[in-house]
Amino acid sequence: MSPAGSSPIGAPPHIHALLTKLHKLSIDQEAELQKSKSKNNDGSSRFVSSTAAEPTDFDALMRDKFIALDEDKCHFVYQLIRAKGATTIVEAGTSYGVSTIYLALAAGRNAKALGKAGATVIATEFEVEKAGAARAYWKECGESVEGVVDLRVGDILETLKEGVRDVDVLLLDIWAKLALPTLTLMQPKLRPGAVVLVDNTVAAAGGYKELLEYMKAPGSGFTNIVVPYSGGFEMSVYYPPL
Ligand SMILES: C[S@@+](CC[C@H](N)C(=O)[O-])C[C@H]1O[C@@H](n2cnc3c(N)ncnc32)[C@H](O)[C@@H]1O
């Protein structure tokens, strides 16, 4: 968590209050999950699960869980988007839309500051009820969030096939097995210099093995570092190989 009073987020008080409430809900749920923990496939992570085509007990357990990106990571992502002047963001895994609020605020501010027509955060969620709740939270935020998000409900490997281009930032905050297929689907749509962020890559290294091997392979076009937030937060920059 960032020290009190150090939030870089430019937003009115009601959005700050909502974010504080939602992060707390998420943290409380995770604490409960930890108590009853046992079902992850390889025991290493909250992010090891099925693909959408093969739902498991894990999916049932996670159906009503926030699993929101930690607040300090959200602040980092917000700052990175602002620094980059990014206006087209894809979020793989939206849940109740907590991280999405940060993405939308940052991208929207960039569009205004840079005199661009608008910004877009393409958000993706498989669970219909989560998607509905996320929409309600964004509405509560107002136009600076609601007006920026393009929510696609369904299996990400279908919903991102069309209508995505010139992506500045891709946030992979989805079950680990979907990370590599999502990345390869998005790769042709990434702008040169695009940033790819992946949560929990140290704590869930087993689940992310294939993704990390793919991004770290010589000639992949990706350069990678781990930002040392809890669980590890992978930050990669992509330039298509020449
Ligand atoms: C870690 S949570 C996302 C948290 C969110 N980024 C936040 O910070 O609030 C991952 C989400 O991915 C969703 N998900 C899992 N499989 C999916 C799929 N095939 N297509 C779209 N979303 C999926 C899950 O339902 C879950 O809500």
Side-chain angles (χ1 to χ4, degrees), residues 150-214:
D150 165 7
L151 175 61
R152 304 194 181 179
V153 183
D155 182 0
I156 192 166
L157 300 181
E158 295 300 323
T159 60
L160 288 187
K161 274 187 179 160
E162 306 291 338
V164 186
R165 50 182 291 203
D166 299 332
V167 176
D168 298 305
V169 175
L170 169 64
L171 172 61
L172 290 171
D173 192 20
I174 196 160
W175 308 157
K177 282 188 184 170
L178 286 160
L180 181 54
T182 303
L183 178 68
T184 52
L185 179 62
M186 286 298 95
Q187 198 168 342
K189 301 160 195 284
L190 297 178
R191 266 192 219 275
V195 173
V196 178
L197 300 160
V198 194
D199 191 26
N200 224 26
T201 50
V202 173
Y208 285 118
K209 186 170 179 290
E210 289 175 0
L211 174 84
L212 296 175
E213 282 174 0
Y214 181 84

Side-chain angles (χ1 to χ4, degrees), residues 2 11 14 19 34 57 60 65 81 83 88 113 135-137 156-157 164 166 171 173 175 211-212 218 220 232 236:
S2 297
H14 77 281
L19 287 170
Q34 282 301 323
D57 289 352
K65 303 298 182 297
I81 291 170
T88 303
R135 278 203 174 97
Y137 291 133
I156 192 166
L157 300 181
V164 186
D166 299 332
L171 172 61
D173 192 20
W175 308 157
L211 174 84
L212 296 175
S220 70
S236 304

Side-chain angles (χ1 to χ4, degrees), residues 76-99:
F76 173 74
V77 175
Y78 177 94
Q79 288 288 72
L80 187 143
I81 291 170
R82 292 299 328 261
K84 206 173 150 42
T87 51
T88 303
I89 320 284
V90 172
E91 178 180 61
T94 289
S95 188
Y96 290 92
V98 180
S99 50

